[in-house]
Amino acid sequence: MEYRKVSSSDHPEKPDLKLSVITFGAWAAGGWMWGGTERSEAVKAIRESYDAGVTSIDTAPIYGQGLSEEIVGEAIKDLPRDKVQILTKYGMRWDLAKGDLAMHSKNNAGEPIDVYKYAGRDSVILECENSLKRLGTDYIDLYQIHWPDHTTPIEETMEAVSQLIKEGKVRYAGVCNYDTALMREASQHIHLVSDQVPYSMVKRDIEAELVPYCIEHEKAILAYSPMERGLLTGKMKPGHQFAEDDHRASLYFFKDENLTRVNEFLSKIKPIADDKHVTLGQLVLKWTIEQPGITIALAGARNAEQARQNAAAADIVLDQGEIDLITQHLNALELVK
């Protein structure tokens, strides 16, 4: 496993933050919007990841309305805390009608909930306390706003996180789903180290502005959904039926025509995977973490076997010619929206 430095601290006595290039993404572990979860399997998957060198885990309160964080807390309770990096988030409230309405949804019990993007000062402080309890720890390594909240000044939000850093409850501040303008503004109020954004072979829009900005200003990019929610595994075929509460059913990526086109692309790069005795999914993950500006890739796993496979992707050796060939085939892929 390779570990990459996210950013140097602005406090000399505080150690740098290093993350495993494959970081465990715990959204699906919470079950919400993924058709449910099996708690014991999720715990095993996280522990198997750790044994394979994946020391970094990304979660959020909204994932299962606290369930994902509880599962992460259970999985790491017997592990040495200084050997694990906990990444969680704030700013998505399902228990408070304040801020920007993000979506109407249902919890794991099928009950309707309204989710709001809200990052007011008191809310951030409260969310941190709740996350620490669920995670069973006294500090969070990287605390990230989940989505921009246009009803709260960024200065107010970042001052709240600064207070948490001073109190030792948070080590580093990050953001998610921020564009370059929002990153610039947030950086005026806090030592910002990272931006977590969607990035995959079929979603590369950040390469235009965000990647150059982050490279220039030494900000880490944490790529989420690098497998595009299972699309790039090659296992999904036209006619695939999703569970009723699986959010992927409504995404254009999973239209039959796009499944066909993606699978044709994957068949072109499969010889590289076969030559290295790895799966298509592992090859996709390796390509992702080799792209300029991409610091780590988040990969979820439903069980221990998936966790082992994701971790092993970091050990694949790709030369520049192979990376360029994959990208060449990828550039010829066009999806229908």
Side-chain angles (χ1 to χ4, degrees):
M1 182 59 61
E2 179 185 354
Y3 304 88
R4 292 178 181 170
K5 187 169 71 172
V6 168
S7 176
S8 296
S9 168
D10 55 350
H11 298 290
E13 69 275 10
K14 190 164 67 172
D16 294 334
L17 178 62
K18 289 185 177 181
L19 304 180
S20 49
V21 290
I22 302 297
T23 289
F24 191 98
W27 178 10
W32 177 67
M33 296 178 71
W34 284 91
T37 187
E38 170 50 55
R39 184 174 185 135
S40 63
E41 287 297 311
V43 169
K44 288 177 185 176
I46 294 171
R47 289 179 174 166
E48 189 70 27
S49 290
Y50 178 82
D51 289 342
V54 176
T55 59
S56 311
I57 309 165
D58 179 86
T59 182
I62 191 60
Y63 300 159
Q65 295 72 61
L67 179 58
S68 176
E69 286 188 327
E70 291 175 1
I71 287 172
V72 171
E74 180 179 343
I76 67 167
K77 65 182 179 181
D78 296 324
L79 300 177
R81 181 63 185 87
D82 62 342
K83 303 297 183 185
V84 178
Q85 300 84 47
I86 297 177
L87 291 57
T88 194
K89 310 178 186 77
Y90 62 91
M92 293 282 275
R93 297 290 299 268
W94 65 93
D95 53 347
L96 177 70
K98 201 169 185 179
D100 286 325
L101 177 64
M103 69 183 83
H104 302 292
S105 185
K106 292 182 179 180
N107 62 20
N108 286 346
E111 301 163 339
I113 56 173
D114 290 335
V115 181
Y116 288 82
K117 293 181 282 191
Y118 180 61
R121 181 189 178 282
D122 292 345
S123 183
V124 174
I125 301 298
L126 175 63
E127 283 205 74
C128 183
E129 294 297 335
N130 290 338
S131 288
L132 290 171
K133 290 175 185 175
R134 287 190 288 258
L135 291 162
T137 186
D138 57 0
Y139 71 94
I140 294 162
D141 294 277
L142 181 64
Y143 204 37
Q144 310 157 95
I145 185 169
H146 205 149
W147 284 92
D149 165 25
H150 301 295
T151 70
T152 303
I154 287 180
E155 181 177 6
E156 177 184 335
T157 300
M158 296 305 155
E159 284 181 351
V161 179
S162 293
Q163 177 181 330
L164 292 169
I165 291 175
K166 290 177 183 176
E167 293 173 355
K169 296 173 181 176
V170 168
R171 289 184 62 205
Y172 289 95
V175 296
C176 303
N177 304 298
Y178 266 37
D179 59 19
T180 53
L182 289 174
M183 286 197 75
R184 285 192 182 94
E185 183 175 352
S187 294
Q188 295 174 8
H189 307 291
I190 201 165
H191 177 57
L192 197 66
V193 303
S194 62
D195 192 5
Q196 184 179 144
V197 288
Y199 180 76
S200 73
M201 284 181 161
V202 294
K203 189 183 289 181
R204 298 165 60 192
D205 54 302
I206 66 167
E207 293 176 356
E209 292 185 14
L210 188 66
V211 168
Y213 170 84
C214 288
I215 291 175
E216 179 184 354
H217 296 276
E218 298 184 338
K219 309 295 184 187
I221 295 178
L222 317 184
Y224 73 79
S225 296
M227 304 298 298
E228 206 51 67
R229 301 167 172 85
L231 175 70
L232 294 167
T233 62
K235 297 176 181 177
M236 290 191 173
K237 310 300 179 186
H240 185 91
Q241 295 296 311
F242 292 101
E244 184 179 348
D245 57 347
D246 193 316
H247 72 288
R248 292 175 291 181
S250 63
L251 300 178
Y252 76 90
F253 291 113
F254 299 95
K255 290 181 178 180
D256 282 355
E257 186 172 353
N258 286 336
L259 286 173
T260 298
R261 294 186 181 195
V262 168
N263 287 338
E264 287 175 354
F265 155 70
L266 292 173
S267 70
K268 294 176 182 177
I269 67 171
K270 191 173 185 297
I272 299 176
D274 291 343
D275 181 61
K276 298 181 183 298
H277 305 289
V278 300
T279 67
L280 279 168
Q282 289 172 315
L283 183 63
V284 168
L285 283 175
K286 183 63 176 183
W287 178 91
T288 303
I289 58 177
E290 290 301 313
Q291 297 310 296
I294 304 301
T295 309
I296 61 100
L298 277 67
R302 291 282 200 164
N303 53 54
E305 176 56 30
Q306 290 178 1
R308 283 191 293 270
Q309 287 196 5
N310 289 342
D315 299 326
I316 299 171
V317 177
L318 287 178
D319 62 37
Q320 192 59 48
E322 290 167 327
I323 295 172
D324 292 344
L325 179 60
I326 293 170
T327 305
Q328 180 182 332
H329 288 307
L330 184 57
N331 289 339
L333 173 63
E334 293 185 9
L335 299 186
V336 179
K337 292 190 178 180

